[in-house]
Amino acid sequence: MKKQFSLFLGAVLIAASLTGCGKDDKPLESSQPEIPQSTEQSEESQTEQQTQEQSEQGSSDSEQENTGPEQGTLFNAISDFNYEAAQEGVWQYYFSGDNGETYDKCTAFDDYPDSRVRGWHPWTGSYIGVGLNDDMEGFLELNTDGVSRDWSNQMGVLAFEAPVEGRYVITARVWNPWSQPCDNFTFKKADGTEVLSVDMSEIVDNYAYVTPTDVQLAQGELLYIFCNSTEGSWVSAYIDCTMVYDPQDDSVYEVPEVEAREVLGVDPDFGKTAEHNAYQEFDKNAADGSNCPWLYASTVDGSAFIPAAEYKDTDYGANEWFTESGTGMGQVNYVEGEYLELNTPGNGGEVMALGFKAPAEGTYTFSGYTFNPYSQSCEVFHLSLNGEEKAAIDIADYTVKPNAFDVEITMAEGDVLYFYCPSTTADSWVSAYLSVFVNAR
């Protein structure tokens, strides 16, 4: 019995030895249960597995921590302009009706028919807000209506939302190209802390850089940027703002040189000696020239002129004659100087015209200024006599200073010389400005 048991045990050991020698080969399928590891071996394997999982988790956490912007990342309000959602992304768009104490969301994006102006507004049809204007390339336009019928001094507000907590440096250039009555460009945190304020009253002939300024922001905290009106009138202020996250060197604090800018036009002289002055002789009682030599009319193509239908002292700072459809012309208080404002709703629509009726036969000298302070889509003021164009005075590029003109025209008694400035783009409103002084030669 012992001998048989010894033979059997030896056979088992030999089989086990042969099986162990085949460990580098493909494992064979077996119905035999696996032999459990010892408790010591199992605990060691568990420890190794836990260490590996912790290492992987640490790597994942590290990747999450590094998802924020790198040091020195730039966030530019123009290149990062958000066309899709007004309150998503780092740049957002609001408006305020209480001088920047509280802020409401813009809800409507308008791409106007001429595609030169597009941006975010409180609601559809409003021109207040923040957007892009092709006539001021390289800047965002922030619009304020100081005489809104719904709110007091309603203004567009640009906001920056910090993607992560940290230090940001405000860099920007700002401009008040139309010399409008605007206050400061203000940079204000949501808690009311004013971070930076830039006086805009003298930044007219060219843009200026702001002093680069640090601001500490929590993740998700908003920095509001706006420019108010000081006289309750319309303001279009311009800004190109870049927020720099945690810059690595001090070069961000260096202020670049302002590029030289050619300014077309002349300094106007409204005290010129004249027998007739279109602004000073503006007639609120009659549009047909029955009281004075001046007529207020409309035309579509410059061949026929229809006297205006109604005079109004408006609540937005204008004394105007209007057509039956509501297009107007007259004196305004929101453009400095003795100009008459002549409006047209767009190319192909009715164009307001100023007429001068000759009190006697003779040659008359017409001098004065054409001015396009809002850089709108118009090219020339046409001077038309009996359906014939006598002169065309450039206006398009005279946005800071007016263009001076001086022409002589021979007229019969009762002839009417009309001045009118059409829009060059369909559905694009134009407010063109004109001063006229008349002397008989």
Side-chain angles (χ1 to χ4, degrees), residues 77-99:
I78 298 173
S79 61
D80 298 334
F81 186 78
N82 191 337
Y83 295 87
E84 303 299 328
Q87 284 78 47
E88 295 181 11
V90 293
W91 293 106
Q92 302 178 15
Y93 314 99
Y94 296 81
F95 68 101
S96 176
D98 53 12
N99 299 317

Side-chain angles (χ1 to χ4, degrees), residues 307-327:
E310 182 183 12
Y311 173 81
K312 293 180 182 179
D313 288 328
T314 71
D315 61 357
Y316 51 83
N319 308 317
E320 294 185 286
W321 281 96
F322 291 91
T323 65
E324 291 183 355
S325 60
T327 308

Side-chain angles (χ1 to χ4, degrees), residues 177-218:
W178 320 133
S179 189
Q180 292 176 311
C182 56
D183 199 356
N184 299 335
F185 243 121
T186 301
F187 298 73
K188 192 175 185 180
K189 297 176 72 171
D191 64 5
T193 302
E194 189 174 292
V195 179
L196 177 63
S197 182
V198 183
D199 184 356
M200 294 296 294
S201 60
E202 301 299 325
I203 305 176
V204 175
D205 290 340
N206 207 347
Y207 65 85
Y209 287 97
V210 308
T211 301
T213 303
D214 288 359
V215 57
Q216 187 72 24
L217 297 173

